[in-house]
Amino acid sequence: MNSIPVSGERLGELCRVFGTPFHLYDEAAIRANARRLMQAFSWAPAFKEYFAVKALPNPYILQILAEEGCGADCSSLAELLIAKAVGLGGAEVCFTSNDTPIEEYRQALAMQTIINLDDITHIDYLLQYAHLPEIVSFRYNPGPLRKGGNEIIGYPEQAKYGLTGAQLLEGIAICRDLGRTRFGIHTMIVSNELNADYFCETAEMMFRLAVRIKKIMGVSVEFINLGGGLGIPYRPEEQAIDLEALGVKIRTLYEQILKPAGLGKVMLCMESGRMMTGPYGYLVSRVLHQKNTYKNYVGLDACMADLMRPALYGAYHHITVIGKEDMPMDTLYDVTGSLCENNDKFAIDRQLPHIDTGDILVIHDTGAHGHAMGFNYNGKLRSKELLLRPDGSVKQIRRAETLADYFATLDYPGLEA
Ligand SMILES: *Cc1c(COP(=O)(O)O)cnc(C)c1O
């Protein structure tokens, strides 16, 4: 569990200056973590982390990660345009989409990104409506060959993503017949997984696939993208993945499997989202109301529009009551938002210190799949995003939504914010 990077006093000041609720992102911690990842894979002939933009689609954050050497993993038109605005293109961007509209492929092609094809039929789709890129990458779905899977993505054979092994080989053959010589392979099997062994198994599976492609087709893939899915310790008792140890284990596999097969120059890629920014974001909110009925409720000025994960997945997010860190956790609360939707709870049956109206609550680990996932159901508006800079200053990097934003798609007389 990360400790909040500002003092309670400073946080109170930020609440007064900017108004609650807001997500606060810790730039120094994001940079330090990105450097740890790069360091852990610095042994590889080439390594690239493509930050999964959907986790935190704010160009200011992507710019910080780009400065640390990361690229962008995009899976929609909007995300491609964010990457472009930050100055990313070419091999700095990979486009890993599914059920892809042609406008998105056209944008990805115009930016000369690495395209991870989700299906064999997309070769024809591209040929018919756009063109096939010079480098072709395929997303592999091992199906029942790979035991396990986990609860967010599920079992590979139930997942909509990727090609079967046979389709992947056929896809390479088709592209080769079309004159393509440069290939990559990709997979993404788990999500929010804290067991590093899963990633080693994934690496081993992909390395063996690369060797098979070489043996059967005489094609040496240029890169292997291991996807995202590295978990973070949302609960205080959980342990973060040891990136250095993971790097060492994957290096061993690389040397055992790829090198002897003449694939010792293959570039390794990742598309982590959650692990890159998740632990370094905090949703800061104030207590509006308390009610005591069959349970004790504290109602915040934030709601599931700002953070969906607890409502959507029953996910745990740690909560700190500012100024009461050392008080006994002697009261059982449900911590809610204001949506007319009984799922709108940040915590259920959470033991916390006694809470007063006006207290500031910090919800931890909101830096990935937090603000980004929010919706406008019930006419609720999403919060602003603030960046805590390494020098301690704070900059607003996204304003809060307004009613004018909410009504902007309607053209109805008399409806005004
Ligand atoms: C969501 C996603 C990621 C990032 O997943 P994390 O769990 O945030 O690491 C990477 N690649 C693809 C294709 C995705 O859809």
Side-chain angles (χ1 to χ4, degrees):
M1 184 64 48
N2 282 296
S3 52
I4 300 165
V6 292
S7 68
E9 198 182 332
R10 174 84 169 118
L11 203 59
E13 186 186 319
L14 294 176
C15 291
R16 282 190 296 279
V17 171
F18 291 99
T20 51
F22 55 82
H23 287 268
L24 180 68
Y25 305 122
D26 181 353
E27 177 178 339
I30 290 172
R31 286 187 186 274
N33 180 65
R35 285 176 200 173
R36 270 198 301 277
L37 178 66
M38 304 297 173
Q39 187 58 39
F41 286 89
S42 57
W43 54 265
F47 175 77
K48 190 88 193 164
E49 152 67 10
Y50 294 97
F51 174 61
V53 176
K54 80 172 192 283
L56 181 43
N58 189 308
Y60 291 94
I61 300 291
L62 187 55
Q63 190 186 323
I64 289 166
L65 288 166
E67 285 167 12
E68 295 299 334
C70 299
D73 165 41
C74 303
S75 48
S76 70
L77 187 54
E79 291 170 6
L80 285 167
L81 296 177
I82 291 171
K84 186 170 172 226
V86 170
L88 295 174
E92 299 288 312
V93 176
C94 69
F95 184 59
T96 312
S97 59
N98 70 96
D99 188 23
T100 316
I102 199 65
E103 314 78 67
E104 302 198 355
Y105 272 141
R106 288 195 183 119
Q107 183 63 41
L109 287 164
M111 289 166 63
Q112 300 188 305
T113 69
I114 304 283
I115 296 181
N116 287 308
L117 294 181
D118 186 64
D119 192 52
I120 194 164
T121 60
H122 288 213
I123 298 169
D124 272 344
Y125 185 61
L126 278 173
L127 287 171
Q128 195 172 351
Y129 298 105
H131 64 268
L132 197 63
E134 272 312 303
I135 307 175
V136 188
S137 180
F138 293 95
R139 180 171 183 165
Y140 176 50
N141 181 333
L145 293 178
R146 171 64 189 260
K147 294 291 165 235
N150 75 0
E151 66 186 68
I152 296 183
I153 289 205
Y155 289 92
E157 66 269 35
Q158 300 289 342
K160 65 173 177 171
Y161 306 112
L163 297 80
T164 67
Q167 288 171 336
L168 196 148
L169 291 172
E170 191 187 340
I172 291 177
I174 292 169
C175 292
R176 197 175 49 180
D177 290 349
L178 291 163
R180 296 302 177 277
T181 55
R182 304 181 62 191
F183 295 97
I185 52 176
H186 170 282
T187 200
M188 163 108 187
I189 295 180
V190 293
S191 182
N192 192 27
E193 182 55 62
L194 281 170
N195 182 350
D197 293 345
Y198 266 80
F199 298 98
C200 297
E201 284 168 28
T202 299
E204 179 172 355
M205 175 187 85
M206 293 304 280
F207 293 173
R208 294 202 188 285
L209 178 62
V211 172
R212 215 169 111 217
I213 291 167
K214 175 133 200 233
K215 283 210 176 111
I216 296 177
M217 324 201 49
V219 168
S220 299
V221 297
E222 291 185 18
F223 57 88
I224 298 176
N225 187 331
L226 301 174
L230 293 168
I232 61 170
Y234 286 102
R235 292 175 182 272
E237 68 273 17
E238 289 172 338
Q239 281 290 320
I241 288 179
D242 180 342
L243 293 175
E244 202 177 319
L246 180 68
V248 169
K249 283 184 187 168
I250 292 183
R251 177 181 197 165
T252 305
L253 293 165
Y254 191 103
E255 282 167 2
Q256 281 172 353
I257 302 168
L258 290 178
K259 274 212 176 135
L263 290 165
K265 293 233 157 59
V266 173
M267 177 175 181
L268 280 189
C269 313
M270 277 189 185
E271 288 174 353
S272 279
R274 189 184 316 273
M275 193 278 293
M276 300 303 289
T277 53
Y280 316 115
Y282 306 83
L283 174 57
V284 181
S285 180
R286 215 180 260 284
V287 176
L288 280 184
H289 298 286
Q290 296 182 73
K291 63 182 286 187
N292 304 98
T293 51
Y294 305 102
K295 301 183 88 171
N296 299 322
Y297 294 97
V298 287
L300 304 186
D301 60 5
C303 67
M304 65 187 288
D306 305 305
L307 178 68
M308 299 276 282
R309 298 189 69 261
L312 205 57
Y313 311 122
Y316 180 95
H317 279 262
H318 200 65
I319 296 178
T320 300
V321 184
I322 297 303
K324 298 185 174 175
E325 292 84 349
D326 299 325
M327 282 174 52
M329 306 275 214
D330 56 5
T331 317
L332 197 64
Y333 288 109
D334 279 14
V335 180
T336 82
S338 62
L339 250 81
C340 284
E341 159 60 67
N342 195 39
N343 271 347
D344 185 15
K345 291 173 186 155
F346 293 111
I348 297 174
D349 294 331
R350 184 74 57 89
Q351 206 70 44
L352 292 168
H354 173 80
I355 291 173
D356 295 293
T357 301
D359 277 353
I360 297 168
L361 266 59
V362 172
I363 303 175
H364 292 246
D365 302 310
T366 67
H369 312 295
H371 187 284
M373 242 188 219
F375 64 176
N376 285 132
Y377 182 50
N378 204 193
K380 295 295 176 181
L381 305 172
R382 278 165 292 210
S383 69
K384 64 199 67 149
E385 296 182 298
L386 306 180
L387 182 66
L388 172 65
R389 291 182 149 157
D391 67 3
S393 65
V394 170
K395 176 187 161 78
Q396 178 170 300
I397 55 171
R398 185 196 296 270
R399 68 162 170 80
E401 285 177 328
T402 64
L403 277 180
D405 297 329
Y406 183 70
F407 293 144
T409 49
L410 288 165
D411 180 10
Y412 191 86
L415 180 63
E416 277 165 36

